[in-house]
Amino acid sequence: MKLLVITAIREYKKDILKMFRAAGVKNFSYREVTGFQDNSGDEVGLNWFASEMNENESILFYAFVNKEIVESFFNLTDVYNSKQGNESRIHIAVLNIEKSNNL
């Protein structure tokens, strides 16, 4: 069993839900979160708004899934991210579940 963790900007929520269906993810949880990006190290010309910390309305999904679903979801996400015309991407992390009493 794996724990699939996904973060993205809130605008990608509907697309992530479609990918969950396509990959076979039937149970998941999500939460709206605020993402931060520290731009204090960027050159002034690259930091258009001259702010050191930028906030983004984001979402965090997590789901307990089997290995096959992880691979399928990664493939769907890779295709989705490759088609994006902006810098924002769907980010995924996978954690191994060593022991659980509810799976």
Side-chain angles (χ1 to χ4, degrees), residues 33-95:
V33 296
T34 302
F36 290 90
Q37 182 175 9
D38 182 1
N39 292 326
S40 61
D42 290 349
E43 296 178 31
V44 175
L46 297 175
N47 189 357
W48 181 261
F49 296 103
S51 171
E52 290 187 2
M53 291 295 266
N54 290 323
E55 292 184 20
N56 296 305
E57 294 177 357
S58 302
I59 48 178
L60 170 70
F61 287 91
Y62 45 98
F64 293 98
V65 298
N66 63 38
K67 186 170 74 172
E68 294 77 24
I69 288 177
V70 169
E71 293 304 319
S72 176
F73 193 80
F74 262 93
N75 291 336
L76 290 166
T77 304
D78 287 343
V79 170
Y80 183 86
N81 284 339
S82 70
K83 294 179 180 178
Q84 293 308 305
N86 57 37
E87 291 184 27
S88 188
R89 302 282 186 257
I90 296 173
H91 303 279
I92 309 170
V94 177
L95 297 110

Side-chain angles (χ1 to χ4, degrees), residues 10-51:
R10 190 170 61 180
E11 288 80 6
Y12 292 171
K13 179 181 174 183
K14 288 181 182 179
D15 296 325
I16 292 170
L17 294 174
K18 288 177 187 176
M19 285 186 261
F20 274 167
R21 276 186 231 109
V25 177
K26 297 188 187 294
N27 300 305
F28 62 90
S29 299
Y30 91 94
R31 181 151 186 97
E32 292 187 8
V33 296
T34 302
F36 290 90
Q37 182 175 9
D38 182 1
N39 292 326
S40 61
D42 290 349
E43 296 178 31
V44 175
L46 297 175
N47 189 357
W48 181 261
F49 296 103
S51 171

